[in-house]
Amino acid sequence: MRVIPVDTSSATLLVTKLPEVKVRDRQTGEVAVDPVTNDRLMVMELVFIAQGGSDMIKVTVPEKGIGEGLAMGAPVFLSGLVARPWESEFGGRTRHGIAYRADAVMVDTPAAVQG
């Protein structure tokens, strides 16, 4: 599967939904885990503002990568953000989209003013 690195250096990212446990199977309640590290995965929603427009995105982050101090509307920084196109078929209907995954999310504090 193709993995596309996402450059967020010129974007503003704001929290619109705080991280919650990602569920792999809604019928059984099975929690999603990283297949390599076995860390529990979390999902959060952000508004991605860049180049005069904005989009809402859901980002999956390992639980250990969730920084302290996240709050609604807080500007954040994502480390290691990648996008993975996906496609699936269910009941004769094809669905597709982009899944976003980051190594970590931290509150983006403004740089100290030097004088």
Side-chain angles (χ1 to χ4, degrees), residues 11-29:
T12 300
L13 300 159
L14 304 173
V15 176
T16 58
K17 188 172 183 182
L18 293 172
E20 53 188 41
V21 174
K22 183 172 184 173
V23 177
R24 179 184 171 121
D25 185 329
R26 291 182 188 196
Q27 291 180 338
T28 65

Side-chain angles (χ1 to χ4, degrees), residues 94-113:
T94 301
R95 298 179 60 207
H96 61 275
I98 300 172
Y100 294 94
R101 171 87 185 249
D103 297 329
V105 57
M106 296 142 294
V107 173
D108 189 8
T109 55
V113 177

Side-chain angles (χ1 to χ4, degrees), residues 20-26 28-34 38-42 63:
E20 53 188 41
V21 174
K22 183 172 184 173
V23 177
R24 179 184 171 121
D25 185 329
R26 291 182 188 196
T28 65
E30 178 185 3
V31 172
V33 295
D34 184 284
N38 209 34
D39 290 337
R40 191 163 72 157
L41 296 176
M42 308 294 282
E63 188 172 29

Side-chain angles (χ1 to χ4, degrees), residues 13-89:
L13 300 159
L14 304 173
V15 176
T16 58
K17 188 172 183 182
L18 293 172
E20 53 188 41
V21 174
K22 183 172 184 173
V23 177
R24 179 184 171 121
D25 185 329
R26 291 182 188 196
Q27 291 180 338
T28 65
E30 178 185 3
V31 172
V33 295
D34 184 284
V36 176
T37 65
N38 209 34
D39 290 337
R40 191 163 72 157
L41 296 176
M42 308 294 282
V43 65
M44 63 186 300
E45 292 181 14
L46 306 170
V47 62
F48 186 107
I49 305 167
Q51 300 174 350
S54 65
D55 287 295
M56 298 293 293
I57 63 172
K58 287 185 179 183
V59 179
T60 299
V61 182
E63 188 172 29
K64 292 178 183 175
I66 303 291
E68 293 184 23
L70 293 180
M72 291 295 291
V76 293
F77 169 77
L78 295 172
S79 172
L81 181 63
V82 295
R84 288 186 176 107
W86 61 268
E87 183 174 286
S88 66
E89 187 173 329

